[in-house]
Amino acid sequence: MSALALIFVVAGLGLIGWLTARARAASFELGGAKRLHSLPGQHGWYVAIWTVLPALLFIAVWSGMTPRLVQDAVLQHPAAAQLPAFDFERDALLAEAKRVARDRSATAFDPVAEQLVAPTRAAISYYGWIGAGVSVLLAFACGALAFTRIKARFKARTRVERGVMSLLLLASLIAILTTLGIFLSLLWESLRFFGQVPITDFLLGTHWSPQVIDANDPGKSLGAVPLFWGTFFIGAVIAMIVAIPFGLMSAIYLTQYAAPGVRRWMKPILEILAGVPTVVYGYFAALTVAPAVRDLAVMLGMPFASSESALAAGLVMGVMIIPFVSSIADDSIAAVPTAMRDGSLAMGATRSETIRKVLIPAALPGVVAGILLAVSRAIGETMIVVMAASGAANITLNPLESATTVTKQIVDLLTGDAEFDSPKTLAAFALGLTLFVITLILNIVALRVVKKYREAYE
Amino acid sequence: MNSPLPAQADRTPTDWNAPAMQKRIARRYAAERRFKLFGLAAVVLSAAFLAFLLATMVSQGWRGFVRTDVALTIDFKAAALPVDRAVLRTPGADLALAGAELENTVKGAAATQFGVGGEDAISEYAWLKVREAIKQDPTNLDRAVRIPVPASTRLDQALRGDGTAEAQALAERLKAAGLVSTGFNADFLRMSDSTDPVAVGIWGALKGSLLTMAITFLIAFPVGVLSAIYLEEYAPRNRWTDLIEVSINNLAAVPSIIFGLLGLAVFLGTWEVMGVRFGPILPRSAALVGGVTLALMIMPVIVIASRNAIKAVPPSIRDAALGIGASPVQVVFHHVLPLAMPGILTGTIIGMARALGETAPLLLIGMRAFIVQPPGGFTDPATVLPVQIFLWSDEVSRGFVEKTSAAILVLLAFLLAMNSLAIYLRNRFETRW
């Protein structure tokens, strides 16, 4: 029986438990003069939780153990003696036998695997039925036990609510677990990488060509400085040259000048820019913007200009970031006390003078924090650079030349057919750790700046 | 008292009408107009970029929904395919017709009928259309029938006046003979990936997206809402709570590709604990692992939106419920949560829209396979719409350009629908207290 079907059976038992317990609790109220401590529904939930929870836990543990048990059982079979001793090959044959055992229409290619199909099928069904039997029994036993505890004075509500509270706490712990999972998995794989490649080679090396790695000195072709430069150049320089003026000016225009009707329509339209999937921007950058940039470069007298220039990716990325900068600038300008603006206007300053000399300086910490967040988003952006930027790692100041980024290299390194332990694959995790740490620092700095700014005006 | 200010009599009143002053004011007003113009230009240019982007996609993508057919007459009676008529009503029909070399028969018919280069005029999957026609009406095998079959990319391009001289000549000939027709390409919405741009469809990717979104919703929604409830209503002010809040705020800012690395290392990696190796927790390339990864990614979005919605419910509601004897759990689940639900759902839909458009993390966990069959379940190899767009954008064949844009239009339509729903929900159900 599959785990899914089993879960449905257990859920059905839980429903039965809920209904019977509720009916029983309600019958106390009808029959005797005794008042119930808890509502009948809460008695129902108490029994339902006891029916479902232990059985589900068992199913989770059991389905984690079954593959191991099945494999052990299959290896006991006489035909298993013919299996090669080498781990990788043996696993492949066992996996093939398992696949055929699951899917009756499939056939095995290897004769040894073919022989193992029958024992595998037998073992799967054997352990499957054991699991099904135990979990149904468990559900029934725990449910019945809970049912016998139902009395008029039984404090079902307290117990159910304690369960609900632990569920809530558990849900909020998932955020911590995810953060921890990200950090530990990146750190773990990076440490393995730095076991093979010296950390100084990686962080300070200026030559990046993962296609050809010298097995004796892998660090020589895994120097990430060109990637850091490319990421900074595309995400923090070119994209920001587009995003900051456009974002800031459109925020200023929409908050200070535009008629309410215009603002009501234009603000959501600009926000659509942030909702367009990045793969669409990437396609647009690669198909429309990059050729145009190359033509421009040819016109400017660079006959061999790259069609994967840093400029094309950076421009489109900048456009994507505009609404982000704009909405943060909008918020910080709105937070400046009106008295300051009115005071400036009353002194005879024009509106643009008020904006440039009063509002922007007052809102500056918020704007700067917003720009830091925008940079952190730009350097983490993946699809635009994967589709429009080049894979060639150059350190260049010319936006018409090609440059590559950390995120593009992560995708390139991990989508090839490399084994999991090679320095090439592990390098992706080291790059990921670097990216994670840098975005984290940017966010923390941005939060600090915002905090200081708040203290000034509240 | 010695005043630093000069005596009143020393000051001459400003002559506002002096030419110098007038010039200065004119300059200031000009600067004002310029500044305003810059602002307007920024808004207009941003909107223009969006319009240009959409216009480019529509102008290329509409062709993806249109298919050119060529009417092909096949004389099955003369071809005398060795097929048992009885089999054609059974599931074995596909195999029987393929075994009877139907594909070559169709190609041969095209070659004889359309002349030089005729077999290149029809798509490689044209014979599948013929097969459908035969299965629908087996009597077709006893006569000559005229069946519209999809034109090849080459002919399609030539019909638009783009291609080699021979192809153009062939296109002219077919057009003159009245054999060419165009219509809505329903197959684009029904079929899956293929090597032939004429035969590709988005159904496989769309189904993968739907399965992935289902997993994402089932995990991210309950976990996100429950943790929002905990943090907003019950959490004591202590170091643990601060840690949870910091984690959630940081996760919201972590680049999406990092979640792909997390999924790759945790869900698909192999682990060795005390000498026992246990393999990937979740199957590679499947909707399941994609859904879990995206759920972790959008969970902070849902938590933050839900907290704001819960915060907006006025305390008087809680006080009233507590006052008539509700327990803290009842207060939240019977009163606060239903009132906060519109805000929570709006945030959830926005988060789901973000997950639907996400590509990078899914590339890393292997959801970039070549999927010819739509996935049957959560554990089958699958791909999603944005990844399909990415894969098609890499194809060199020119026919893929319009298909990519068409797929983008479908994706944008879904996102637009989701965001409109979110706006509608907000306007319809949001209560101002």
Side-chain angles (χ1 to χ4, degrees), chain A residues 198-230:
Chain A
I199 188 165
T200 45
D201 282 8
F202 175 72
L203 287 180
L204 303 175
T206 54
H207 179 66
W208 177 268
S209 60
Q211 296 82 13
V212 273
I213 293 181
D214 179 7
N216 297 319
D217 185 12
K220 214 168 74 185
S221 48
L222 289 173
V225 169
L227 310 191
F228 299 150
W229 169 251

Side-chain angles (χ1 to χ4, degrees), chain A residues 323-455:
Chain A
F324 193 78
V325 175
S326 161
S327 82
I328 287 177
D330 197 333
D331 291 348
S332 352
I333 291 173
V336 176
T338 344
M340 292 177 71
R341 180 166 165 256
D342 294 348
S344 168
L345 289 174
M347 294 294 286
T350 63
R351 279 208 274 186
S352 67
E353 283 161 355
T354 305
I355 293 163
R356 276 183 294 154
K357 306 215 163 111
V358 177
L359 291 187
I360 296 286
L364 199 59
V367 173
V368 169
I371 289 170
L372 287 180
L373 290 177
V375 170
S376 121
R377 174 161 300 195
I379 64 175
E381 167 47 42
T382 311
M383 287 324 288
I384 294 177
V385 286
V386 165
M387 293 166 85
S390 138
N394 291 325
I395 301 184
T396 171
L397 261 173
N398 181 354
L400 295 171
E401 268 182 49
S402 56
T404 191
T405 71
V406 170
T407 47
K408 174 161 172 74
Q409 289 302 321
I410 292 177
V411 171
D412 283 359
L413 290 173
L414 286 177
T415 48
D417 302 316
E419 60 272 38
F420 211 71
D421 283 343
S422 74
K424 197 173 150 181
T425 319
L426 292 174
F429 286 92
L431 288 175
L433 184 66
T434 323
L435 184 66
F436 180 69
V437 169
I438 290 174
T439 50
L440 203 64
I441 291 174
L442 279 173
N443 286 317
I444 291 171
V445 171
L447 279 181
R448 280 279 156 81
V449 173
V450 166
K451 235 177 203 168
K452 277 205 167 155
Y453 153 71
R454 266 196 197 141
E455 281 163 8

